[in-house]
Amino acid sequence: MSLDARIAARLKRDGNGLVPAIVQQHDTGEVLMLAWMDDEALHRTLTTGRATYWSRSRGEYWVKGATSGHVQHVKTVSLDCDGDTVLLKVDQVGAACHTGDRTCFDADRLTPVQDGVTAVRSEG
């Protein structure tokens, strides 16, 4: 099986055949992470209800939580207006980040420029 042709036709992929996937907690709107998908990862996600991504560093597919137990149960999947980004709304079980943080955006918070200085606040 492969990705529905109507969906595939809408996707605008990068030079590696990938689109970014923004992952959001379905009930709170909390942004959990950014990952990458190709047609096969999107097809697997849509047909299994489990978030599946393409790992650029490992060069393989990974189902979120397959080894950690921190699964993402997919509630909805949407394409943005240009077809170049996917939004997954999920029910996240456990941490979304491989570091163990709830989200991948918890560690380093950047403060907007004030008086010509940008501050970085590290959590942890």
Side-chain angles (χ1 to χ4, degrees):
M1 303 296 283
S2 61
L3 185 63
D4 182 291
R6 294 169 295 182
I7 298 169
R10 290 259 348 266
L11 290 177
K12 292 182 185 165
R13 302 157 193 81
D14 70 7
N16 296 312
L18 302 172
V19 294
I22 299 168
V23 185
Q24 187 176 37
Q25 177 63 35
H26 77 98
D27 54 354
T28 66
E30 178 182 32
V31 177
L32 301 171
M33 57 182 273
L34 172 84
W36 295 90
M37 295 180 135
D38 64 4
D39 288 25
E40 180 63 22
L42 182 54
H43 169 72
R44 292 180 187 188
T45 297
L46 291 169
T47 57
T48 67
R50 294 280 306 275
T52 304
Y53 306 107
W54 176 255
S55 171
R56 296 177 303 164
S57 60
R58 294 188 310 256
E60 64 186 20
Y61 295 102
W62 56 282
V63 178
K64 182 66 174 165
T67 57
S68 68
H70 298 167
V71 299
Q72 293 175 343
H73 300 285
V74 178
K75 300 295 185 178
T76 64
V77 179
S78 304
L79 291 177
D80 77 338
C81 58
D82 296 322
D84 62 2
T85 304
V86 176
L87 173 64
L88 278 74
K89 291 190 178 184
V90 304
D91 186 15
Q92 176 70 49
V93 176
C97 189
H98 70 281
T99 65
D101 286 334
R102 169 72 183 160
T103 84
C104 292
F105 301 100
D106 289 342
D108 291 318
R109 302 200 184 219
L110 307 179
T111 304
V113 173
Q114 295 178 355
D115 300 322
V117 178
T118 301
V120 177
R121 184 182 75 197
S122 293
E123 306 289 325

